[in-house]
Every structure is written in C-alpha cells, then in structure tokens.
Amino acid sequence: YLNMLARTYLKKELFDEALATIALIDEKKKSEFSYSISANALFRLNRNAEALIAVDKAIELAISDGVVDHYRYKGLIYNAMSAPEEALKAYLDAQQFRHLADTEAYINIYYNIGILYDYTFKNPTEALKYYKNYIEAVKDPQKFANQFEFVNKRIVDLTKK
C-alpha cells in the first residue's frame, strides 16, 4: 500500500512526499520497488549520491522486469554526476538482460549509450552501432517520436563524415 502511495506522489512530482512515504516502510520490508521509487525521487531532487545507494539496493533486490530501468537510472545518475565512464558501465550492464530487449527501458539504453559515444566520448563508430540498435528495437516510432527523429538525423550526419 505504501509503495503505491509513494509511486502516486512520484508521478505527481511530489518527491519529498514520496520519500517520506517510503520512510514509513519497515527497513526489512522494503522491496525493489521501494528502493526504485526512492532512487527516482532522490535523483529528481539532485541528491545523486543517495540515489545511487537506493538504485544499487533496487538492483540487488531485483526480481522484476524493472531491473533494466534500475540500470538505466543508475546510468542517468552517474551522467548527472559527470561520471560518463560509470554511466556507460551501468548502461552496458543492463545489456545482460537481453530477454527484455523490447521494453522501453532497454530501448532507451541503446539511445543513452549512443548519446554518450557520440557527444561525450566522440566515438562515431560506436555511436552509430547503438543508434542503429535503437532504430531496430523501436517497434512504434510514434511512441518515441522526438528521439526517433533525432537518432535518424544523427545516423545520417555520422554516416556522411
């Protein structure tokens, strides 16, 4: 019940309320979802060191398909902390869950890796590889409209070089 309430607060961008609600859960009863909600709220409050602890706990307890999303968040947190190598490692670690390759989180992993290789590491060959993986993975381009259009443009631009 408290996880659902915290998730509602999170969706309404009431991050402090989400964290306060999770804090009401006995430590021994916290689940993957409790820590995932905490990580998300902490990240949005720019409390990245705490968010990393929470996301690692979510990964440790992961029993759901959400595990890919936990790794994605870990990458986003590291990226926000200006630690691109660690962000890349988190994204690449998510790839061990290939059976979830058609999930939105997994598709976004390709996008995030492509962006890192393209703009941070200045490696167009690797960027192209992940951008192409992203395009292949997207079954409904309308759902990812802005990203999909951007990635297609980047593929064209990087192929010209």
Side-chain angles (χ1 to χ4, degrees), residues 3-159:
N3 278 329
M4 297 301 283
L5 179 59
R7 186 178 175 144
T8 300
Y9 283 135
L10 187 66
K11 286 184 176 189
K12 292 184 176 210
E13 298 188 3
L14 299 169
F15 307 123
D16 289 318
E17 289 83 347
L19 291 171
T21 303
I22 293 295
L24 296 173
I25 301 172
D26 182 275
E27 201 61 38
K28 292 177 183 161
K29 293 184 179 179
K30 286 186 181 172
S31 67
E32 165 191 0
F33 305 106
S34 308
Y35 288 106
S36 176
I37 291 165
S38 294
N40 192 324
L42 290 163
F43 173 67
R44 294 186 182 218
L45 291 169
N46 203 29
R47 293 166 53 186
N48 294 323
E50 294 169 89
L52 271 178
I53 294 167
V55 80
D56 280 337
K57 193 69 175 167
I59 290 168
E60 177 186 323
L61 296 174
I63 58 169
S64 76
D65 291 355
V67 67
V68 173
D69 216 21
H70 305 328
Y71 279 105
R72 185 179 68 84
Y73 253 97
K74 187 173 185 174
L76 292 172
I77 294 164
Y78 274 127
N79 210 33
M81 296 173 76
S82 298
E85 291 84 9
E86 288 85 354
L88 180 61
K89 182 182 179 326
Y91 297 141
L92 292 173
D93 285 348
Q95 293 194 314
Q96 67 187 297
F97 302 99
R98 290 203 186 278
H99 64 285
L100 302 172
D102 63 343
T103 65
E104 190 170 328
Y106 202 95
I107 292 167
N108 280 317
I109 294 283
Y110 288 137
Y111 175 80
N112 292 344
I113 294 172
I115 293 291
L116 274 176
Y117 276 125
D118 194 359
Y119 292 98
T120 303
F121 300 123
K122 309 290 187 212
N123 184 333
T125 303
E126 285 299 307
L128 270 170
K129 174 179 150 186
Y130 285 96
Y131 286 153
K132 287 177 181 177
N133 287 343
Y134 170 85
I135 294 297
E136 288 175 22
V138 171
K139 305 289 185 250
D140 180 7
Q142 290 300 94
K143 186 174 182 181
F144 298 89
N146 292 336
Q147 274 186 348
F148 195 83
E149 183 180 333
F150 170 80
V151 169
N152 271 319
K153 278 185 180 176
R154 287 305 295 152
I155 289 172
V156 169
D157 291 345
L158 291 171
T159 306

